[in-house]
């Protein structure tokens, strides 16, 4: 019989069974590479996708999971599933994600769905006492207090996959949590770090999707261009590590090699670095606490390297102020900022909102909401819906 100790350790008599939620996305595809290269240590027990169902079937043929989840029931109904390999069960709809997250045959959930759509299945996994490897930062931005409380109550660890938070998680091990004075998040600065401010209003979708160092899904790539991604990461760090906003810094580091740093009370700064390659933080979270050989690129120490760091320009990237504001305020602020941003980015990608309007639209919706300091989950879910509608009102005003 297989068993897991619930702490992210491999089952003693077999591979660790991973539910890869969002397997057709950028993180999901990288995760499947990590799993395939793990020499049997990890196994993809379940895969999920929203609408890229052809890719989902191809992945199932390669990875032979026990089941696949097609989260969008409408897309699933019109799809020919005859290519699914024998023995692979098809599950349909968002509730099927919960079923898999709570399943006894899953040891760890990789939360790699984009947006607050990933919230429900992470909550279910934590309630079932499962470790969650969290790529889906929107969950922590929307419901950080709630989710971290659940993680503690159920002794179900949240293992960071976001490269900055993975770096902080690793660097934290150099001291005790009470000895940490500051977290320093690094940011690439995105494609518009040096663009003259006057030219930003003409930014097109393809300009915004041309990230200089990372290959990622569309939403996070646009977030990196506005630096809303870093704003969300400040909030994510606040909840994951319990460090208040005033002790979190952001430094622009265009080479994306130093993934973040922790400063301790004695002044020592501990960093984690490596080439920009998400396969390392994914593997770190899935295999934690073990470090094993993997497919992530290694540093080339035969070459010279120059790494630069500069303070983030808050005038160029006004999203950062919103991130710090929401990290400090807590309560309902993160849920509203996150949903407003998801909606605004969606509008920008469809050509219905200018690039430079994304952040003002988010600010407008944030200011318009009735702040509550200690909301229950249903209130957060309602505000997520409200903020998406409010963005449409804001752009029509
Ligand atoms: P992506 O757009 O490439 O993939 C998203 C995945 O989520 C796809 O599998 C898609 O089918 C699924 N999905 C989309 N909407 C869904 C819905 N409503 N219900 C269920 N499934 C849905 O995104 P990505 O770049 O892989 O990012 C995934 C998450 O990881 C995001 O939260 C992102 O912020 C975070 N993250 C990504 C990177 C990266 O390098 N890509 C780095 C750090 C953090
Ligand atoms: Mg990141």
């Amino acid at each position: 019989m297989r068993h897991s100790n619930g702490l992210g350790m491999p089952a003693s008599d077999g591979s660790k069974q991973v539910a890869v939620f969002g397997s057709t996305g950028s993180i999901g595809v990288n995760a499947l590479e990590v799993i395939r290269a793990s020499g049997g240590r990890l196994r993809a027990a379940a895969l999920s996708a929203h609408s890229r169902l052809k890719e989902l079937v191809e992945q199932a043929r390669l990875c032979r999971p026990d089941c696949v989840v097609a989260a969008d029931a409408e897309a699933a109904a019109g799809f020919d599933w005859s290519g699914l390999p024998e023995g692979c069960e098809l599950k349909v709809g968002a509730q099927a994600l919960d079923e898999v997250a709570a399943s006894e045959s899953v040891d760890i959930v990789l939360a790699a769905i984009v947006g607050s759509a990933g919230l429900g299945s992470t909550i279910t996994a934590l309630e079932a006492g499962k470790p969650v490897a969290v790529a889906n930062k929107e969950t922590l931005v929307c419901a950080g207090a709630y989710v971290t409380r659940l993680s503690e109550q159920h002794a179900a660890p949240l293992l960071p996959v976001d490269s900055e938070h993975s770096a902080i998680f690793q660097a934290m091990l150099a001291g005790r949590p009470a000895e940490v004075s500051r977290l320093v998040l690094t940011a690439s600065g995105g494609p518009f770090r040096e663009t003259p401010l006057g030219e930003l209003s003409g930014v097109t979708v393809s300009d915004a999707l041309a990230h200089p160092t990372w290959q990622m899904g569309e939403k996070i790539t646009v977030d990196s261009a506005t630096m809303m991604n870093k704003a969300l990461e400040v909030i994510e760090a606040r909840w994951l590590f319990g460090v208040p906003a005033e002790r979190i810094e952001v430094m622009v580091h265009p080479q994306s090699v130093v993934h973040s740093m922790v400063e301790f009370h004695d002044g020592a700064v501990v960093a984690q670095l490596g080439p920009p390659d998400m396969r390392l933080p994914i593997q770190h979270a899935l295999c934690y606490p073990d470090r094993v050989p993997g497919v992530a690129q290694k540093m080339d120490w035969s070459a010279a390297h120059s790494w630069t760091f500069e303070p983030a320009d808050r005038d160029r990237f006004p999203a950062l102020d919103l991130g710090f504001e929401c990290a400090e305020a807590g309560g309902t602020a993160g849920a509203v900022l996150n949903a407003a941003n998801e909606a605004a980015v969606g509008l920008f990608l469809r050509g219905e909102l200018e690039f430079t309007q994304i952040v003002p639209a988010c600010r407008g919706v944030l200011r318009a909401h009735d702040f509550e300091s200690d909301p229950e989950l249903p209130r957060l879910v309602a505000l997520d819906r409200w903020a998406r509608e409010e963005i449409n009102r804001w752009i029509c005003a």
Side-chain angles (χ1 to χ4, degrees):
M1 203 177 82
R2 246 180 12 80
H3 60 272
S4 129
N5 64 9
L7 285 174
M9 306 283 284
S12 59
D13 52 355
S15 51
K16 194 190 281 189
Q17 306 295 308
V18 187
V20 183
F21 288 166
S23 64
T24 54
S26 161
I27 291 287
V29 167
N30 277 306
L32 294 187
E33 278 183 33
V34 167
I35 292 170
R36 277 207 307 279
S38 72
R41 172 177 281 266
L42 303 169
R43 174 176 174 265
L47 307 176
S48 93
H50 190 58
S51 49
R52 297 208 318 244
L53 303 178
K54 198 162 157 272
E55 279 113 304
L56 182 65
V57 168
E58 279 161 18
Q59 290 181 334
R61 296 179 77 83
L62 201 62
C63 304
R64 302 280 163 163
D66 302 325
C67 71
V68 294
V69 178
D72 179 350
E74 214 174 294
F79 186 75
D80 170 11
W81 290 98
S82 59
L84 260 194
E86 209 175 309
C88 176
E89 191 187 342
L90 168 66
K91 293 175 184 283
V92 173
Q95 76 291 345
L97 292 170
D98 293 322
E99 210 181 289
V100 172
S103 156
E104 286 214 346
S105 54
V106 164
D107 295 321
I108 184 167
V109 169
L110 173 63
I113 288 172
V114 63
S116 60
L119 175 63
S121 48
T122 288
I123 288 175
T124 307
L126 294 174
E127 284 173 342
K130 303 256 184 304
V132 178
V134 206
N136 177 256
K137 67 191 81 188
E138 294 90 347
T139 285
L140 285 156
V141 174
C142 174
Y146 183 82
V147 166
T148 48
R149 205 158 48 226
L150 269 189
S151 158
E152 267 172 43
Q153 280 167 358
H154 295 273
L158 289 161
L159 299 160
V161 169
D162 211 348
S163 56
E164 296 76 2
H165 304 74
S166 175
I168 291 170
F169 184 82
Q170 295 174 62
M172 287 278 239
L173 300 175
R176 299 188 188 93
E179 294 164 351
V180 170
S181 61
R182 283 190 290 182
L183 306 182
V184 185
L185 292 169
T186 53
S188 71
F192 307 129
R193 187 170 54 91
E194 291 176 321
T195 306
L197 286 178
E199 289 175 21
L200 286 179
S201 59
V203 158
T204 64
V205 169
S206 63
D207 295 335
L209 290 180
H211 195 279
T213 47
W214 294 99
Q215 290 290 321
M216 308 179 287
E218 285 191 342
K219 190 256 175 187
I220 184 177
T221 305
V222 174
D223 286 347
S224 300
T226 56
M227 273 248 208
M228 185 61 85
N229 183 49
K230 214 47 57 180
L232 302 180
E233 290 183 357
V234 168
I235 305 169
E236 181 184 14
R238 186 258 167 275
W239 294 115
L240 274 179
F241 304 111
V243 172
E246 73 264 18
R247 295 202 280 119
I248 302 176
E249 309 282 341
V250 172
M251 290 297 286
V252 172
H253 164 53
Q255 298 81 19
S256 301
V257 172
V258 175
H259 297 306
S260 279
M261 306 179 257
V262 175
E263 186 182 278
F264 291 92
H265 288 325
D266 58 2
V269 178
V270 180
Q272 184 265 331
L273 50 131
D277 184 339
M278 287 308 295
R279 292 174 299 185
L280 180 56
I282 292 168
Q283 174 174 314
H284 182 267
L286 293 181
C287 295
Y288 185 77
D290 299 332
R291 286 193 183 271
V292 293
V295 281
Q297 294 168 66
K298 310 290 182 296
M299 291 298 296
D300 176 5
W301 296 117
S302 67
H305 296 271
S306 299
W307 301 327
T308 57
F309 299 89
E310 60 197 59
D313 178 347
R314 299 281 190 103
D315 293 330
R316 174 178 291 272
F317 297 116
L320 278 178
D321 286 343
L322 294 184
F324 279 101
E325 184 183 318
C326 292
E328 198 180 329
T332 48
V336 172
L337 177 66
N338 179 66
N341 180 58
E342 282 190 38
V345 170
L347 289 167
F348 168 69
L349 287 169
R350 293 196 296 277
E352 293 168 32
L353 186 69
E354 276 185 22
F355 180 76
T356 45
Q357 290 302 299
I358 296 174
V359 175
C362 292
R363 189 186 300 111
V365 173
L366 190 61
R367 299 278 180 270
H369 101 277
D370 285 328
F371 177 78
E372 212 179 290
S373 59
D374 195 15
E376 298 287 341
L377 186 63
R379 175 93 180 111
L380 297 175
V381 173
L383 275 171
D384 178 281
R385 217 172 304 127
W386 171 83
R388 289 165 201 268
E389 288 160 13
E390 194 63 18
I391 276 282
N392 287 315
R393 273 194 288 278
W394 189 91
I395 62 167
C396 294

